[in-house]
Amino acid sequence: MFALKHVWIITAVVAIYGIVNGFLINATPQICLALELNSGQLGMIGAGIPIGYAVSCLTFGRLFSGIPSKYVMFGGATTSLLALMLMSSANSAGICILAQVTYGLGSGAFWPFASAWLLDFQTEEITRTRLLRFYNVSWTAGTASGMFFSGLLCGAGYIWLPVRLASH
């Protein structure tokens, strides 16, 4: 029962992170439109998350090998939240790019370490497929919820920014 309690905690954290991810997915184009960026700047912003994610996936495993997965996961979530706050105050392409790279770094600390921590609770009673089902449903539903609700806010005349709502 102890392991299942932790599985639900991880599932909730992953779902919340998915919601934040959904808000970022929907907010980024809105912010870029508001800043009237050119196609080159948009390309750099679009490349930011994959670049940050790739760098962190290639380095964080070795860098944080002695640290329990849950701490790295929570550090990744905190880094991503800071990136969202940075994105919410972006007033130039450079800040948007920095925010996206930072979000990618946070994601590289969050996703691989969340799944590693989740698999620590695999038992005969809680199989790997059941654990991965929790994990996949939670991040998918979280991301979809974040995109849906931020879309509603944009449709209501607001650009969703994680820290503030700015009417346009």
Side-chain angles (χ1 to χ4, degrees):
M1 195 61 181
F2 173 76
L4 192 57
K5 178 180 138 187
H6 279 81
V7 170
W8 281 109
I9 291 170
I10 297 168
T11 301
V13 170
V14 169
I16 291 167
Y17 192 87
I19 290 170
V20 170
N21 189 43
F23 277 112
L24 182 72
I25 289 169
N26 207 2
T28 300
Q30 298 294 323
I31 293 167
C32 291
L33 285 171
L35 294 175
E36 299 177 358
L37 303 176
N38 66 43
S39 60
Q41 292 167 322
L42 294 174
M44 291 297 296
I45 291 167
I49 291 175
I51 289 169
Y53 188 81
V55 167
S56 61
C57 284
L58 291 171
T59 59
F60 286 1
R62 184 174 301 237
L63 187 64
F64 299 124
S65 64
I67 300 173
S69 296
K70 65 181 178 182
Y71 297 124
V72 180
M73 181 186 88
F74 288 125
T78 303
T79 301
S80 295
L81 183 59
L82 292 173
L84 285 170
M85 292 169 59
L86 182 62
M87 191 69 174
S88 73
S89 62
N91 59 3
S92 69
I95 292 174
C96 289
I97 294 166
L98 177 64
Q100 296 287 10
V101 171
T102 303
Y103 191 84
L105 291 170
S107 292
F110 183 85
W111 294 113
F113 287 90
S115 58
W117 187 33
L118 186 69
L119 292 177
D120 287 345
F121 298 104
Q122 181 179 338
T123 64
E124 287 185 25
E125 297 169 359
I126 307 173
T127 63
R128 179 180 296 174
T129 54
R130 185 175 176 196
L131 289 170
L132 292 175
R133 184 174 53 232
F134 280 115
Y135 177 77
N136 286 316
V137 167
S138 64
W139 78 259
T140 304
T143 301
S145 298
M147 292 178 72
F148 176 76
F149 290 115
S150 62
L152 288 178
L153 288 170
C154 288
Y158 293 94
I159 298 173
W160 173 256
L161 302 176
V163 177
R164 59 185 160 81
L165 290 174
S167 180
H168 62 254

